[in-house]
Amino acid sequence: MPERVIMGVIEEDGSYHCLPGTPDGVLPGCMPMNFDVWGYTIGAYAVGGFFGSIASKYFNVWFGRRDNIMMSCGWMIAGGILSACAVNLTMYAFGRALVGIAAGMCGSSVAIYVSEISTNKSRGALGSLFELFLNLGILLTQIAGRSMAYAPAWRALWAIPTIIAAIQLACMFFLTVECPRRLCANQKYDEAYAALQRLRGKDVDIEEEYQGMLAARQRELDSQQKQMTIWDIISCKDRHVSWNTVIVMVIQAFNQVGGIGPMSVYSVGFFTQIFGDATLASNISLADAAVNIGATLVSVVFMHKVGRKGFMMISTGGTCIACIFMVLGSSLKNSSGGQGIGGLAIAAAIIFTGSYSMGCGVIPWMIAPELLPMHALASGSALGGASNWFFNFLINTIWPQMNAGLGTYSFIVFVAINLFGFLFVTFFMPETTGKDLDDHDKKKTEDVEDGTGSSSDASHQGDNKDEEKSHHYSHIEVAQ
């Protein structure tokens, strides 16, 4: 794998240098370091992701979802170039941090963007595509990493995502539109109408959907809702919003905290120990990545039928059982008296990966817009993303010490964590499948105004839906 080439080798006297035969060119063939320093460079990515998630709260409000995603592409390009051209560890780690900032900004923004441009029925399937392409990227990265694990080819691994980010930036600029819902919130009603028409197709009648969007924005104006800050949520200014944000943060945490990182790392090391064949262990890891994609496809197809809560229960329950199998598979004696049962460990890795991908890998990226009203979405989504990146950093940082201290019983910790997740989802997570994104605002406004919101709705919905599209400006004047 490329990290061995980048890190070099550590001698018994504590010195480290490049692997024998590693060529130097215009740029160094490697950057010798020990495992602790390598861990810090990996951690720089998670730290960058944490701050990128927090920053997305402001950028989503100031610039919108689409522009925020395009800016994250810029950070990705800068970080990729810096990492690919690094001449020392500081430069390499800083490049990793910039890529992390891009990932943190992009993660929450893409989830909001997909949710807001989707119909109620298609939102689950389209949201699942986020994880599907993420898993596809992981699989392709592993394949590329195996074939480019030498100098200077490992630097080209950073050029690949840089080129992809540049292509994405161009596609976002020329082929996409800002979320109509967001444009309405900014009172850019004509742009919102045009954007919605482009998303739904030029021959589709969008009048009813557009009127509902206008009515929702009008309810926000009537109720004088202000954008909630992160502090407003933390200080429980609106207890309902704060509690739903807690749910978002817990669901986002289970994208990382249930053991997906250690399971990936541990399974390769464990299989190498059991079978004595690093290549076979790597092949099993690739098969595991393929299971990731297959399980995500299942969620794409059945998301609307099984539901967000249903898949999260399947996911947390499955990962809990898989962690039990991993403990048994790595701790019990095999038939020849050796340590570990290889078949059970392989089954544990496959069950874990499949279960994780159907729920914990998918649902966190679509749950925030379905649980939070628009005036709290940017802040709540930022807190959810920060929770994800915090546990990414925490788990992957403490895992080596935890594994060294508990040995083959390390995954008992994740048994307890995933059991907690299953119980939390069962008793506290509401079902949001098929829910209209503006249900929050409608219900609250009707409760607060004691029926006055319905007259406001009627003023927007009483127009003839068969009017020509050119008449939509009259609705804009009403909303203003």
Side-chain angles (χ1 to χ4, degrees):
M1 289 298 176
E3 63 265 24
R4 298 302 308 155
V5 179
I6 300 171
M7 292 173 58
V9 293
I10 304 175
E11 301 294 349
E12 293 182 359
D13 61 1
S15 63
Y16 29 88
H17 55 78
C18 294
L19 290 171
T22 300
D24 277 332
V26 178
L27 298 172
C30 77
M31 289 174 284
M33 67 187 90
N34 58 32
F35 285 102
D36 290 337
V37 175
W38 176 257
Y40 293 138
T41 63
I42 299 300
Y45 174 73
V47 171
F50 176 86
F51 286 105
S53 294
I54 296 297
S56 70
K57 177 261 181 286
Y58 303 100
F59 293 151
N60 272 327
V61 173
W62 295 341
F63 303 106
R65 299 22 165 160
R66 175 175 174 266
D67 289 351
N68 191 24
I69 296 171
M70 290 195 292
M71 285 189 291
S72 73
C73 291
W75 286 109
M76 182 71 71
I77 293 169
I81 292 174
L82 201 61
S83 298
C85 300
V87 297
N88 54 50
L89 293 176
T90 301
M91 190 173 173
Y92 184 74
F94 190 63
R96 292 279 300 177
L98 291 182
V99 172
I101 290 174
M105 288 174 57
C106 189
S108 60
S109 299
V110 168
I112 295 173
Y113 184 83
V114 171
S115 293
E116 290 190 337
I117 67 172
S118 306
T119 62
N120 292 339
K121 188 173 182 179
S122 67
R123 192 183 309 123
L126 291 178
S128 300
L129 290 178
F130 182 97
E131 180 71 11
L132 177 64
F133 280 95
L134 182 64
N135 290 332
L136 181 61
I138 292 172
L139 177 60
L140 294 177
T141 299
Q142 290 178 337
I143 295 173
R146 291 184 61 180
S147 59
M148 303 174 73
Y150 61 92
W154 64 264
R155 293 184 179 274
L157 287 173
W158 283 107
I160 295 173
T162 302
I163 294 170
I164 293 175
I167 294 173
Q168 181 183 358
L169 177 59
C171 291
M172 289 293 298
F173 184 80
F174 291 107
L175 302 178
T176 65
V177 294
E178 181 55 87
C179 301
R181 190 167 177 253
R182 176 64 188 167
L183 292 170
C184 273
N186 289 341
Q187 299 184 9
K188 298 179 179 179
Y189 301 108
D190 52 347
E191 294 180 37
Y193 188 93
L196 185 61
Q197 188 71 76
R198 184 175 175 183
L199 287 168
R200 299 295 180 255
K202 62 180 181 179
D203 297 325
V204 176
D205 183 4
I206 63 168
E207 196 68 26
E208 182 176 357
E209 183 178 2
Y210 178 66
Q211 288 299 316
M213 200 177 297
L214 283 180
R217 304 292 76 78
Q218 186 64 43
R219 287 193 297 269
E220 290 178 345
L221 291 174
D222 292 343
S223 60
Q224 297 181 334
Q225 291 284 4
K226 295 182 179 180
Q227 284 287 329
M228 292 188 72
T229 65
I230 291 176
W231 175 248
D232 288 338
I233 294 177
I234 294 175
S235 61
C236 297
K237 187 174 181 180
D238 184 322
R239 293 185 179 181
H240 178 71
V241 169
S242 296
W243 172 242
N244 278 357
T245 303
V246 169
I247 296 175
V248 170
M249 292 178 69
V250 172
I251 300 302
Q252 277 278 11
F254 271 88
N255 187 252
Q256 298 291 338
V257 77
I260 184 61
M263 177 64 79
S264 301
V265 176
Y266 184 84
S267 61
V268 174
F270 178 77
F271 295 142
T272 301
Q273 179 182 351
I274 294 295
F275 300 111
D277 188 340
T279 301
L280 177 59
S282 181
N283 289 338
I284 294 172
S285 179
L286 288 176
D288 217 25
V291 171
N292 246 335
I293 296 174
T296 307
L297 281 172
V298 171
S299 69
V300 171
V301 175
F302 296 103
M303 179 59 69
H304 200 70
K305 293 182 179 179
V306 178
R308 298 2 171 200
K309 183 172 183 175
F311 267 126
M312 278 300 297
M313 291 175 65
I314 292 171
S315 186
T316 51
T319 51
C320 182
I321 293 171
C323 288
I324 294 173
F325 284 173
M326 181 58 82
V327 172
L328 296 176
S330 58
S331 302
L332 297 177
K333 301 292 183 180
N334 59 34
S335 58
S336 60
Q339 186 74 22
I341 302 175
L344 186 57
I346 293 173
I350 292 174
I351 293 172
F352 186 99
T353 301
S355 301
Y356 170 88
S357 297
M358 285 190 287
C360 295
V362 174
I363 308 301
W365 304 112
M366 64 178 74
I367 197 67
E370 297 179 340
L371 280 180
L372 299 174
M374 193 166 186
H375 64 276
L377 182 55
S379 296
S381 184
L383 286 171
S387 171
N388 186 313
W389 286 101
F390 171 78
F391 283 105
N392 179 311
F393 177 80
L394 181 65
I395 295 297
N396 287 294
T397 299
I398 68 173
W399 166 251
Q401 291 76 22
M402 190 170 73
N403 190 35
L406 297 176
T408 58
Y409 295 98
S410 315
F411 272 84
I412 286 180
V413 175
F414 297 115
V415 172
I417 290 174
N418 286 304
L419 178 59
F420 166 81
F422 177 81
L423 295 175
F424 183 91
V425 169
T426 301
F427 293 106
F428 298 112
M429 179 181 174
E431 182 56 77
T432 58
T433 303
K435 184 178 182 180
D436 191 290
L437 295 184
D438 291 314
D439 279 351
H440 324 278
D441 303 302
K442 184 175 182 179
K443 183 178 185 304
K444 183 171 183 178
T445 302
E446 289 176 348
D447 290 344
V448 172
E449 297 181 355
D450 192 26
T452 59
S454 59
S455 62
S456 175
D457 295 346
S459 68
H460 296 294
Q461 295 174 345
D463 300 283
N464 190 335
K465 291 189 292 183
D466 295 327
E467 290 178 335
E468 295 295 326
K469 294 175 183 177
S470 60
H471 290 277
H472 78 275
Y473 291 103
S474 64
H475 307 319
I476 296 169
E477 292 172 359
V478 173
Q480 289 175 318

